[in-house]
Amino acid sequence: VKNVADLHRLIVMPAPEGYLLPENALFNGRTSLLNFRIDKNGGSLFRAQTLQVMHQHASLELQQREIAASHHQRQEDAARKAAPKKVSKEERKAQREKEAAAEKQRTRDSLLLVGQGSGEAEDE
């Protein structure tokens, strides 16, 4: 068994059809693949209660890993959304020129309004 997921799989998966073990070594009323392999290799079988506890612990750990991975993914998504968009030098220059042109136009418009209010129009 390499990890918790492997252990969980071996406990939950049934042994081949017709393979019989003592009732006190069954998981949820049937032979688990884990006890099947142990029996085939001449080892001591896990009791039903032990299998149940191991299954609960493995399931809990797998659920916690899924929750942690989901939480981590949500944090990465939020950070990606919050991160400023990378803008090239050309795009920044174009944006500055656009803003400067808009400011220049606002200045002209305000001067025209001031000139019209006093009765004098300024030529450009």
Side-chain angles (χ1 to χ4, degrees):
V1 178
K2 294 179 183 175
N3 55 42
V4 174
D6 285 347
L7 177 63
H8 185 265
R9 183 182 55 80
L10 288 172
I11 293 171
V12 174
M13 288 186 68
E17 281 288 325
Y19 195 83
L20 301 175
L21 288 177
E23 193 166 321
N24 69 349
L26 302 179
F27 175 71
N28 290 339
R30 61 183 186 191
T31 302
S32 71
L33 190 56
L34 180 62
N35 264 348
F36 166 76
R37 288 184 175 178
I38 291 170
D39 192 52
K40 281 291 195 182
N41 290 313
S44 299
L45 301 175
F46 286 112
R47 293 178 176 258
Q49 293 171 328
T50 305
L51 288 171
Q52 194 64 40
V53 169
M54 288 175 18
H55 175 259
Q56 288 172 348
H57 283 283
S59 296
L60 181 62
E61 186 166 331
L62 291 173
Q63 288 172 356
Q64 288 172 341
R65 285 182 184 179
E66 287 176 12
I67 291 168
S70 173
H71 178 69
H72 181 70
Q73 185 63 46
R74 283 194 305 271
Q75 284 180 327
E76 283 182 350
D77 291 346
R80 197 175 304 113
K81 287 179 183 177
K85 181 183 171 189
K86 291 185 179 180
V87 181
S88 69
K89 287 182 179 181
E90 293 81 20
E91 289 174 320
R92 284 194 301 267
K93 183 178 178 183
Q95 181 65 28
R96 282 194 303 269
E97 289 172 353
K98 184 178 175 182
E99 290 170 358
E103 181 62 32
K104 198 174 195 180
Q105 186 61 45
R106 282 192 295 273
T107 303
R108 285 184 192 148
D109 292 346
S110 66
L111 288 174
L112 285 175
L113 288 175
V114 169
Q116 289 175 355
S118 64
E120 300 174 15
E122 295 182 17
D123 291 335
E124 293 185 54

